[in-house]
Structure formats: C-alpha cells, structure tokens
Amino acid sequence: MTAWQRLAKALPECGHWDGTRRQYCRTRDDVHRYLIGYRCPLHTPAAMAGRPEPQPGPGMPAGAWSTLSPLAASAVFDARAIASGKRRAHHHAEYRAAQAAVATTRKDSTTA
C-alpha cells in the first residue's frame, strides 16, 4: 500500500445514506464534521433542509480565553488560602463586615 492509498483511507468520508440508491455517499472531497457525522457540502444539515450554509461570524474576542472571570479569580484566591493553611471567612461574614463598614462611613459622612 502506497502512502497516497493510506492517506486516502485515513481521510473522513461523507456518511450520508442515500435510500434511493441504497448506498452511502462516501465522498472525501471537502468533508466536515457535524453532530450527525462527517458530511460533504451536498449533504450538510443546512443543504438537506434547503437552507443556505451559515456564514462564519466574527468569532470570539482576542482576550476571551486569557481574561479571568471574577469567579475564576476568586477560585485562585481560595486555592491560595487553602494552600497557605489560612481560611477565608464565609460569604455571609464578609457581607456583614462590608455592611458594617458602609454603615460607619454613612454615619461619618452625615454628621459633617
């Protein structure tokens, strides 16, 4: 078996079943993966439904994968606190402390 034959055998093929001809399409030209399997441009889900193929959109923003979300950042702080042996206060304790700090700030600002 030559290298070209091995490559052709390894390439995916269209898995659309044509009931009238009682055979699979098996085309290997421009085949893409879909939820239902590999399909050629003639047998994509949009083509089978009679719709045009969707156009590619703008994609994800450049920093989408590198920017930490607030939830991920808090998980990092929690992991550091656990690793150092220190424990963070419970959320309700942090909330009460924040309320107390705001209450004292409001009392100070209203008396002036």
Side-chain angles (χ1 to χ4, degrees), residues 4-26:
W4 287 108
Q5 290 171 338
R6 284 193 305 266
L7 179 64
K9 191 174 183 178
L11 290 175
E13 59 187 25
C14 180
H16 173 72
W17 173 256
D18 187 2
T20 57
R21 294 189 302 169
R22 296 185 179 178
Q23 66 182 13
Y24 287 100
C25 175
R26 299 199 189 277

Side-chain angles (χ1 to χ4, degrees), residues 11-14 25-32 39-42:
L11 290 175
E13 59 187 25
C14 180
C25 175
R26 299 199 189 277
T27 302
R28 288 193 164 109
D29 298 330
D30 197 25
V31 176
H32 294 283
R39 295 292 188 254
C40 67
L42 295 175

Side-chain angles (χ1 to χ4, degrees), residues 48-108:
M48 297 303 289
R51 294 188 311 259
E53 291 296 322
Q55 297 300 316
M60 294 293 288
W65 299 110
S66 61
T67 306
L68 288 177
S69 71
L71 294 175
S74 67
V76 170
F77 295 135
D78 286 340
R80 287 182 185 161
I82 292 168
S84 67
K86 299 176 183 176
R87 294 182 57 184
R88 289 183 65 192
H90 291 286
H91 295 292
H92 63 82
E94 292 176 1
Y95 179 72
R96 296 291 180 208
Q99 278 186 329
V102 170
T104 58
T105 305
R106 285 186 186 162
K107 287 179 185 175
D108 293 339

